[in-house]
Amino acid sequence: MAKQANDPSGDWTAGIVAIFAALLLGGAIPIALYYTLYVPRVQARIAEEKRLENQQAEQAALVAREERVRKLEEDAAEMEKRLRQVEENFTAPVDRDVLISKITNFARDHNIRLPAEQANVLRAKIVYEGGQEITFAKGLKAVPIIINCQATFHDFCRFLTQIENMKDAVLIIESLDINGDQNGGNSHRFEVVLYSIERRDIAAVGTN
């Protein structure tokens, strides 16, 4: 026998199907919103946080490098100060002629004379610059100065003491030759080779 048109069981089935359909369709909207709006924003936030972390790390590295550079600059300034203190009394390179002139004047003050055989030689000099300078590491130079003279021991020692006590030059004796007076007198012949240490351009030290 066929079911009646108004069978109550058919209505229940249709109603249940309608309820499930409504639930499924209603749930699809939040799921779609989750994947289309929320997830991309979370990913963007994570990427932004990562970028911020990278920027902070780069900034910290720059600050550390700046501190190292500042420390190196402070060390360089301290070393320059120490070098200037060490070399402040060295002879300035442009003052060689001035230095030789000063030593020549010291010689006159202490009765230091040319050797007898050179006394009448034109342009003969008691003090003159040697030919071979010494070059040390980092630009330091030593210029030879030769003193060829005749004097008593007393006068020569006073002369040499004044040279060693000069305030604006550092002079180091390399050799000293003495020939006694062949006539039995007290006028002896002295030949001294000394080196004048020249100061450097401190600011340029270590830049090459």
Side-chain angles (χ1 to χ4, degrees), residues 10-133:
D11 292 339
W12 276 103
T13 300
I16 291 171
V17 171
I19 290 170
F20 274 106
L23 289 173
L24 289 174
L25 291 174
I29 293 174
I31 292 172
L33 291 174
Y34 175 80
Y35 282 105
T36 58
L37 296 178
Y38 180 73
V39 171
R41 290 191 179 185
V42 170
Q43 293 175 342
R45 180 178 60 80
I46 293 174
E48 188 66 21
E49 289 176 349
K50 184 64 176 177
R51 187 176 70 84
L52 180 60
E53 290 177 0
N54 291 337
Q55 288 180 341
Q56 290 174 339
E58 291 177 359
Q59 184 178 7
L62 288 173
V63 170
R65 184 171 67 179
E66 183 179 358
E67 290 177 353
R68 289 196 299 271
V69 171
R70 185 181 301 110
K71 183 64 169 59
L72 288 173
E73 290 175 344
E74 291 174 354
D75 291 344
E78 177 63 22
M79 290 306 301
E80 180 178 347
K81 179 181 177 181
R82 292 182 183 181
L83 281 174
R84 290 188 186 280
Q85 289 175 343
V86 169
E87 297 189 16
E88 64 180 353
N89 290 331
F90 287 7
T91 308
V94 295
D95 289 345
R96 291 185 189 179
D97 292 339
V98 173
L99 177 62
I100 289 175
S101 178
K102 286 183 178 180
I103 297 174
T104 301
N105 290 334
F106 294 163
R108 294 195 183 101
D109 293 342
H110 295 291
N111 196 33
I112 307 297
R113 306 175 304 280
L114 278 169
E117 66 272 20
Q118 295 183 18
N120 296 321
V121 177
L122 184 64
R123 290 188 295 275
K125 296 181 179 179
I126 296 174
V127 184
Y128 54 92
E129 183 178 340
Q132 186 65 41
E133 69 180 19

